[in-house]
Structure formats: C-alpha cells, structure tokens
Amino acid sequence: MATNADAGPAGTTADPRYTKVAIWLHWVIGLAVIANIGLAMLTEDMPRETHRAAMATHKALGIAVLFLTIVLILWRLGHKPPPYPAAMPAWQRPLSKIVHLLFYLLLILLPLSGWVWMSAADRPVDFFGLFTVPSIAAPSKALADTLHDRHEVLGLTMLALVTLHILAALKHQFFDRNGLIGRMNPF
C-alpha cells in the first residue's frame, strides 16, 4: 500500500497528517457542502429570482462536489490516512470510520440524487455558465417528485453529519487536546 505522499524520507515513521491533496480536497468539499446547505435552506423564502439564482449555484456546486468526491476517493485508494493519536479512545476509532463512510456515501448520493431529480424534471443543470451537465434520466414527474423528497432527506442527514463532525473536531481540539484536528490543518 502507498505511503503518505507528504511523509519524510523513506524509513521514517508515518506522517501524522493527511496528504496535502487530501487536506485541500477535504476543505474545498466541506466548504462547498456547507455553502450548498446554506443556499438550499436560507434562500427558500427569498424572491423567486434570487432563489432561482441561488439554486443554479447550488446545482453547480453539487456537481462539483460529486466530481471532487470521486477524485478524493481515488486519491484515498492510493494514500493511507494517518494513524489516530495514541490517546484517542479505542471505541472512537470504529465510530470515526463509520462517520467517514457515511460522509462518502452522502457525498455521492446527495449530488447524484439532485442530478437525477433535475434530469427527471427536465431542468438542465448549468455548470457555472461553462457547460450544461448532460441529463442522466428520462423526464418523469413521478421520479422527479420521489427524488425531490429523497434529496431533502439526504440533505438533512448531511446537515446532521456535518454538525456532528464539526462538534467532534472541536471536542478533540479543545477538550481532549489530542492533536487530531492537526491531521487536517491546511497550514
């Protein structure tokens, strides 16, 4: 298995940090997800044109998140994550792995459900004015209605998971003081 690309010379101990590529993908994807949650939830009651513009950005960001998540997964296949801090309780390790697996599933399923929903609703997705994302489903009102509901449930699940992730990171930083957050510090 490949070692951390940012690790020191061969034969040294494992780097306690993720690779720079993984760190930057984490932060870009994370900020895009938070922005998308905000765009979806905070623009609902705004004037129609404002909401429509926000949703165009939301859709394009969703496609970007899907693409970047695929890149991250491919990167992770060849780059082992750093070890957990020795002081981290054993019960938290499998829980952390489950949360990360749920993140990967949601980072694929949430934008994919939106893409299929927009395809079924016959509403093309414009990718930041650069190109139109091809449809991946035939128009179908029933499918569009079903995916609208599923997309919202997945979005609320993502909101809960992001909140849990941020609270856990803050706990590790300020209460446990175990240096776990340093593994993902881009600076």
Side-chain angles (χ1 to χ4, degrees):
M1 184 169 271
T3 60
N4 187 324
D6 298 330
T12 61
T13 59
D15 192 334
R17 295 170 40 83
Y18 281 89
T19 64
K20 287 180 177 148
V21 170
I23 290 170
W24 285 103
L25 285 170
H26 169 271
W27 286 104
V28 170
I29 292 168
L31 291 173
V33 165
I34 290 169
N36 253 2
I37 290 169
L39 286 168
M41 298 181 88
L42 301 176
T43 65
E44 191 73 26
D45 296 326
M46 291 187 171
R48 186 165 179 78
E49 285 307 310
T50 304
H51 179 70
R52 188 173 299 184
M55 287 300 96
T57 301
H58 174 87
K59 294 170 193 176
L61 271 177
I63 296 297
V65 165
L66 179 60
F67 172 76
L68 291 172
T69 299
I70 292 167
V71 171
L72 178 59
I73 290 169
L74 292 173
W75 182 261
R76 284 288 309 274
L77 289 175
H79 299 83
K80 188 177 177 182
Y84 291 112
M88 185 175 176
W91 66 269
Q92 289 180 5
R93 295 164 195 254
L95 184 60
S96 172
K97 289 180 182 183
I98 290 168
V99 168
H100 281 91
L101 177 63
L102 289 173
F103 263 124
Y104 285 122
L105 287 173
L106 285 172
L107 288 167
I108 296 291
L109 293 176
L110 187 56
L112 192 56
S113 70
W115 187 6
V116 175
W117 167 26
M118 289 299 101
S119 296
D122 202 19
R123 289 190 257 164
V125 175
D126 175 70
F127 191 77
F128 299 113
L130 299 173
F131 59 89
T132 300
V133 178
S135 292
I136 57 172
S140 165
K141 182 172 178 3
L143 179 60
D145 290 345
T146 299
L147 283 170
H148 171 259
D149 294 340
R150 301 276 161 74
H151 189 73
E152 284 188 354
V153 169
L154 290 170
L156 291 172
T157 305
M158 178 64 85
L159 174 61
L161 205 56
V162 166
T163 302
L164 174 69
H165 184 65
I166 291 169
L167 290 173
L170 292 172
K171 174 196 170 291
H172 284 290
Q173 180 66 21
F174 297 110
F175 293 100
D176 299 344
R177 298 181 190 273
N178 63 11
L180 188 70
I181 203 169
R183 296 170 3 133
M184 200 49 85
N185 184 346
F187 308 108

